[in-house]
Amino acid sequence: MMFPTLGQNLACAALVFHFAIVIVTTTIFLYNRHKFNHRPHRLILLGAVGNLIISGAYYCRLIFWMGFSCTLVIWGTYLGSALYFLPFMARGIQLLVVVKFNTAKVHGQLQDTFIDDKNSFELMEHETYRHSHISRQAYNKERVTDKKLTFLVALFIFILISAISVMQLVRMLEPGFDEYTLCGFGWHYFPFFGMTGLFLFVCCPLVIYFFWNVKDAYGLRNELITCVFLGLLIYPMYFVWTLVLKEQLNSSFSSYYFIALFMLLSHVNTVGVPLGSLAYRARKLRTIAAYDSAHFHRIFESPEMLHHFRSFASRYLCSENTCFIDDFQLLKQYCVVAAQSGTKGSSMETPLLSAKPISIFKSRPPAITPAHVGIAATIRKYSDKEPVPAELHIRFLKFYRTYIQPGALLEVNLSSNAHTAIFRQIQNGHITWDIFDESKDQVLSLLYDNVFPDFVQNYIRRKGVV
């Protein structure tokens, strides 16, 4: 389809190109959403819709000119901007809360989660056994879920639609109303200019301030800051070009192109770059080929390397996995103590561990067996009994409620089969030593596949550690 002027043809080509990139990349992103669990899918989809609305309204205005209603332009301006910038700010708030929660999990301190059996009733009654800081961050994390933030954005959009409708009705009731004035710098755009200025000169500096020292391996922080700088560089040109440079340089080049350019580049940064990083991620995973699983398991035997490994896990927003392994090792030690106390004629004169409860973050006793060795294999050295003694049930139950129960404070990502098998034993009250061994293997696998490759590149190779 050809138009009479070069500007119309240019705008038509830009529209097709822009829409093709946004629609194709968003579709691919949503199709592979299981590979982007750390990203808010609903908010990204809302941002893509807002991108299409605002850029589509401006491109159509440039293509059809007087044949395209200015009413659609003003609606596209407000709705598109709200659908794009509100999810952007919501994603920033969500990332900040999640990062703080992971930091709390790494640096916080537990109360004694494995307390004496005489306090088992108290342990069952009080579910908020973690340090108040961790619990508070967990509460904040639950308040900024993808679903809740999407609902809040939708609620604000509904209020905005009502406000635009009233504003447009007032405008149309004015004497001598001309719809063409809706495309100009009238008072009906003042709220938009105010919100844009608030976003650029208040929200954007706050994003830079709060996220400058944030570290995450998924690039979410870099993504947000890049969008901020793109906005600070490109968006003001819309006003400068319209008010100052348009008549001096080129009256045929519309300032709308600056907004469309920003929307396109920010979408590529938000959706296109993560898709491109999948190939890079696959290549990075091959770097662990030089380091077999023995090197990975050795990390948990070195306090220094384990400290750095926990930091890497927090950058991947999965600190619950390293906490799981720490508490699994502690649970294993209490199992050994119980097995030793039930072993008659033991050749050992003193137990391996004191029966006094140990806080996992305050003091980490040396491991009895490596992290990849399950509780069942460890206990076989001391006892042939399969069921766990009754005095240990409360500790196994607390471990379940901390890491495995759906909605747990530090819930780890396990397969449905592992969840089902553990839940059946917990429900029946017939707990065996190996109840958590499979889940331990899955957690170690997640750390090996997701965190270990970066750890190899950024710590082991850089420091020359073997």
Side-chain angles (χ1 to χ4, degrees):
M1 181 179 180
M2 298 298 293
F3 293 92
T5 65
L6 177 62
Q8 288 177 301
N9 290 316
L10 178 63
C12 183
L15 172 66
V16 173
F17 178 74
H18 191 124
F19 270 50
I21 289 181
V22 173
I23 293 175
V24 171
T25 53
T26 304
T27 302
I28 297 175
F29 180 89
L30 294 177
Y31 178 77
N32 295 279
R33 61 184 178 275
H34 60 282
K35 298 179 181 179
F36 301 101
N37 291 329
H38 49 280
R39 295 176 182 270
H41 305 143
R42 293 182 179 88
L43 294 176
I44 289 178
L45 180 60
L46 282 180
V49 172
N51 193 325
L52 294 177
I53 291 177
I54 189 171
S55 57
Y58 289 161
Y59 281 130
C60 289
R61 177 63 183 174
L62 296 175
I63 294 172
F64 301 104
W65 196 235
M66 298 299 293
F68 189 77
S69 173
C70 288
T71 300
L72 298 178
V73 174
I74 189 173
W75 275 89
T77 299
Y78 277 97
L79 285 182
S81 299
L83 280 170
Y84 189 83
F85 292 121
L86 287 176
F88 175 84
M89 290 186 288
R91 288 168 51 212
I93 294 173
Q94 185 183 47
L95 175 61
L96 187 63
V97 171
V98 171
V99 168
K100 286 186 176 181
F101 181 44
N102 274 267
T103 304
K105 287 188 288 187
V106 174
H107 300 291
Q109 287 192 346
L110 292 175
Q111 298 173 4
D112 287 327
T113 60
F114 300 100
I115 62 178
D116 290 333
D117 295 332
K118 63 182 180 181
N119 296 323
S120 59
F121 178 76
E122 178 184 355
L123 183 63
M124 293 290 293
E125 290 295 321
H126 297 280
E127 292 297 325
T128 56
Y129 55 89
R130 293 272 170 176
H131 191 276
S132 60
H133 181 60
I134 302 179
S135 300
R136 184 169 61 253
Q137 295 300 334
Y139 174 72
N140 293 335
K141 181 177 178 292
E142 287 301 313
R143 295 173 63 186
V144 295
T145 60
D146 190 11
K147 185 176 181 179
K148 291 183 179 180
L149 289 174
T150 304
F151 172 78
L152 291 177
V153 171
L155 179 62
F156 187 87
I157 294 297
F158 174 77
I159 298 174
L160 181 64
I161 290 175
S162 303
I164 297 175
S165 301
V166 173
M167 181 176 62
Q168 187 174 355
L169 179 62
V170 172
R171 183 65 173 172
M172 293 175 65
L173 293 177
E174 291 181 354
F177 168 74
D178 182 6
E179 189 191 27
Y180 182 74
T181 60
L182 294 177
C183 291
F185 273 155
W187 65 266
H188 42 273
Y189 277 103
F190 289 167
F192 168 72
F193 297 149
M195 289 186 295
T196 303
L198 180 67
F199 177 79
L200 290 177
F201 301 109
V202 177
C203 295
C204 289
L206 287 176
V207 169
I208 296 175
Y209 173 77
F210 284 112
F211 288 93
W212 192 256
N213 294 321
V214 168
K215 294 181 180 179
D216 73 283
Y218 296 112
L220 301 177
R221 170 260 191 191
N222 297 338
E223 181 181 300
L224 292 173
I225 291 183
T226 300
C227 284
V228 166
F229 280 115
L230 285 174
L232 292 175
L233 291 175
I234 299 178
Y235 231 92
M237 286 301 300
Y238 169 82
F239 302 98
V240 173
W241 187 270
T242 301
L243 300 175
V244 180
L245 301 177
K246 183 177 181 179
E247 298 297 333
Q248 299 178 6
L249 297 179
N250 187 358
S251 60
S252 63
F253 185 85
S254 174
S255 55
Y256 287 161
Y257 281 113
F258 290 106
I259 298 179
L261 177 63
F262 167 71
M263 302 299 286
L264 180 61
L265 292 179
S266 58
H267 177 82
V268 170
N269 177 61
T270 301
V271 177
V273 173
L275 287 175
S277 66
L278 285 179
Y280 172 74
R281 177 66 183 165
R283 183 169 59 87
K284 185 190 295 185
L285 286 174
R286 291 195 291 270
T287 61
I288 67 175
Y291 295 86
D292 57 20
S293 59
H295 291 85
F296 171 69
H297 296 312
R298 204 168 298 158
I299 291 175
F300 297 92
E301 302 173 13
S302 169
E304 180 187 357
M305 294 180 69
L306 183 57
H307 169 74
H308 290 281
F309 192 72
R310 290 193 189 99
S311 299
F312 271 87
S314 67
R315 290 176 57 187
Y316 277 92
L317 311 180
C318 62
S319 298
E320 67 278 357
N321 291 332
T322 53
C323 292
F324 177 97
I325 298 301
D326 291 332
D327 276 357
F328 181 85
Q329 290 291 83
L330 184 58
L331 179 62
K332 183 191 298 182
Q333 298 188 40
Y334 281 106
C335 292
V336 171
V337 171
Q340 286 179 335
S341 62
T343 303
K344 297 181 179 180
S346 175
S347 60
M348 297 185 182
E349 297 180 357
T350 58
L352 291 177
L353 290 173
S354 170
K356 184 179 179 180
I358 302 172
S359 177
I360 187 170
F361 279 106
K362 295 178 181 177
S363 175
R364 298 179 186 272
I368 299 231
T369 54
H372 64 278
V373 178
I375 293 178
T378 303
I379 295 302
R380 289 194 188 101
K381 301 177 182 178
Y382 309 101
S383 173
D384 295 330
K385 297 181 180 179
E386 284 299 326
V388 173
E391 62 268 18
L392 284 178
H393 280 199
I394 188 62
R395 290 171 181 159
F396 276 74
L397 181 60
K398 181 48 64 177
F399 189 88
Y400 168 78
R401 292 187 173 183
T402 304
Y403 295 104
I404 298 174
Q405 180 175 292
L409 184 62
L410 298 176
E411 183 182 1
V412 294
N413 185 20
L414 300 179
S415 66
S416 59
N417 292 335
H419 267 291
T420 302
I422 295 173
F423 176 73
R424 286 176 179 172
Q425 288 198 36
I426 295 294
Q427 190 177 37
N428 296 333
H430 183 76
I431 303 176
T432 58
W433 295 111
D434 62 349
I435 181 175
F436 299 129
D437 286 355
E438 182 181 355
S439 58
K440 176 265 304 176
D441 293 336
Q442 293 187 19
V443 169
L444 287 175
S445 179
L446 290 173
L447 291 171
Y448 183 75
D449 294 336
N450 298 323
V451 184
F452 187 58
D454 265 359
F455 189 72
V456 169
Q457 287 189 330
N458 295 280
Y459 179 72
I460 295 182
R461 287 185 174 178
R462 185 182 64 189
K463 293 183 176 294
V465 179
V466 178

